[in-house]
Amino acid sequence: MNYALRLMYEGTRYAGWQRQQNAATVQGELEQALAVITRSPLSVTGISRTDAGVHANDYIANFHIDTPLDMYRLCRGLNALLPKDIRVISAEPCREDFSARFDAISKTYLYQIDTSLYGDVFYRNFAWHVPHQLNTEAMQKAAGHFIGSHDFSAFMSQGGTAKTFVREIYESRLEVRDHMLSYYVTGNGFLYNMVRIITGTLVAVGKGKIQPDEIPAIIASCDRTRAGMTAPPQGLTLYKANCNDYSITAERA
Amino acid sequence: MNYALRLMYEGTRYAGWQRQQNAATVQGELEQALAVITRSPLSVTGISRTDAGVHANDYIANFHIDTPLDMYRLCRGLNALLPKDIRVISAEPCREDFSARFDAISKTYLYQIDTSLYGDVFYRNFAWHVPHQLNTEAMQKAAGHFIGSHDFSAFMSQGGTAKTFVREIYESRLEVRDHMLSYYVTGNGFLYNMVRIITGTLVAVGKGKIQPDEIPAIIASCDRTRAGMTAPPQGLTLYKANCNDYSITAERA
């Protein structure tokens, strides 16, 4: 049997999603709690390998087990065992061939930038502190240039596992509220550090180091050195995750 | 000379504002940092004695010292010495007779309630987790009844220093966004635990234990046992502080 979980977590204390031998990770905590409840060691598949310090507002994971589980007790049991910075929002049986990894359709990331001089205490684990007057109009204009299907090699760090570099971006926009900037980007997939490099590039635009209209040429160059720096991890949140229908009734014939 | 500071802090790690012998407090941290910078021990006056776990988005404090200080260096120096959960937003010379305590005109508090079943990880230090379907329309109606001048003895814990119990409330409203409720209340002053007891009462209304139209009678009763429970501290934030004009040019004749 196959079960799907929706989670949220604050990544501050974790070395990312993926299980590691000698560090606390979200996958590790979740598998440990599941092992206590199900009395069998099992492996959880996640929709994304978020990095150390990165958060998730909406994360999808799934796991297989031979015995049927009561969903209400599973949710309550996991939330009783998990640390408070990881929460299970819901659990449900899903079709046998569902994989949170391979059935992902799109993800929305949020990257928050704090432009206050002093550094907002309530955002110190959730935003990149950039104490500068940024040109947000130029940043908004630049953000729009990422929409569409592009080879995003210029916005990728070494170390990823991707074999193709074309991704489609559906939404790329900056919201401004007082000193907090919120960048929302939705796409069918993202290369390693892609959102953080796009954000670093937008901040370079905000500082006047890159012009908004240079973005298409930077994308076309496939040259990492022409894009901006990689923004730090704590500003990044996996905001919304979308998978193919995983309900039992959606089982393929 | 007299100087005014505007601060913000996350109260999670502190035993409140007020200096204590054996516990970390915001006043204690601030006075310690000021002593390093000014090389003289001095005492800071704050606009409010926030309790352990309570936060401030906008806090006003002042201190006297004999030697003139450079405001830019003071701000930078304090923020370099203070822990990251306390920030100085601004510093300025103020009129000699200004006191953040006695010149307070009004304060706005924000109390956040998380009604999600699971407990939102991003609000665990900033909200009261009440995993119930609350009747928010009834709560909004009840909130309106607190506006005006009233003897608020029914909404006060023992242990305060107030000598009179009449306070005027200018604003009292509930904002609802998904599972998060934000209660904003502005008044000329607040009794000990007053906002937390009002919030506890609003939650009792949301659960149907108290009817909105009972609020005027509960206020009139001056009977603490008729109001709701004291909501926990971490949901409370001093959101906005207003003092009499403290600029140098406002010096009284």
Side-chain angles (χ1 to χ4, degrees), chain A residues 184-235:
Chain A
Y184 291 91
V185 59
T186 303
N188 63 354
F190 293 88
L191 303 170
Y192 187 48
N193 279 349
M194 181 167 148
V195 179
R196 289 165 56 187
I197 299 171
I198 290 178
T199 303
T201 306
L202 291 178
V203 166
V205 169
K207 289 178 174 173
K209 293 179 184 172
I210 295 176
Q211 297 306 308
D213 292 340
E214 292 177 56
I215 300 293
I218 296 174
I219 295 174
S221 75
C222 293
D223 177 0
R224 171 70 188 89
T225 66
R226 290 189 56 186
M229 66 175 281
T230 305
Q234 79 278 3

Side-chain angles (χ1 to χ4, degrees), chain A residues 84-99:
Chain A
K84 290 280 187 200
D85 49 10
I86 305 176
R87 293 289 92 182
V88 176
I89 298 170
S90 66
E92 53 182 310
C94 61
R95 58 181 165 80
E96 202 54 35
D97 59 352
F98 171 72
S99 156

Side-chain angles (χ1 to χ4, degrees), chain A residues 10 87 118-120 124, chain B residues 8 10 87 118-120 124:
Chain A
E10 176 181 339
R87 293 289 92 182
Y118 45 89
D120 191 313
R124 65 194 195 287
Chain B
M8 73 187 311
E10 176 182 339
R87 292 290 92 182
Y118 44 90
D120 190 312
R124 65 194 194 287

Side-chain angles (χ1 to χ4, degrees), chain B residues 8-98:
Chain B
M8 73 187 311
Y9 54 84
E10 176 182 339
T12 310
R13 294 197 308 123
Y14 299 101
W17 162 262
Q18 197 175 18
R19 191 193 318 116
Q20 288 182 30
Q21 204 67 39
N22 295 309
T25 67
V26 180
Q27 185 185 25
E29 296 285 339
L30 190 58
E31 288 178 351
Q32 205 179 310
L34 275 169
V36 171
I37 289 172
T38 65
R39 286 178 203 142
S40 57
L42 41 79
S43 171
V44 172
T45 303
I47 190 170
S48 167
R49 294 184 186 176
T50 59
D51 278 330
V54 172
H55 319 288
N57 184 59
D58 179 28
Y59 192 97
I60 303 176
N62 75 290
F63 65 93
H64 292 269
I65 188 170
D66 289 337
T67 51
L69 300 172
D70 178 272
M71 290 301 98
Y72 178 77
R73 290 173 67 175
L74 177 65
C75 257
R76 281 194 68 111
L78 284 174
N79 281 336
L81 289 169
L82 286 167
K84 290 278 186 200
D85 48 11
I86 304 175
R87 292 290 92 182
V88 176
I89 298 170
S90 67
E92 54 183 308
C94 60
R95 57 181 164 82
E96 202 55 35
D97 59 353
F98 171 71

Side-chain angles (χ1 to χ4, degrees), chain B residues 88-125:
Chain B
V88 176
I89 298 170
S90 67
E92 54 183 308
C94 60
R95 57 181 164 82
E96 202 55 35
D97 59 353
F98 171 71
S99 157
R101 181 170 173 205
F102 294 108
D103 276 305
I105 298 172
S106 73
K107 295 166 204 163
T108 300
Y109 282 95
L110 162 64
Y111 197 104
Q112 298 187 109
I113 301 164
D114 171 9
T115 65
S116 72
L117 264 181
Y118 44 90
D120 190 312
V121 297
F122 301 112
Y123 285 91
R124 65 194 194 287
N125 293 329

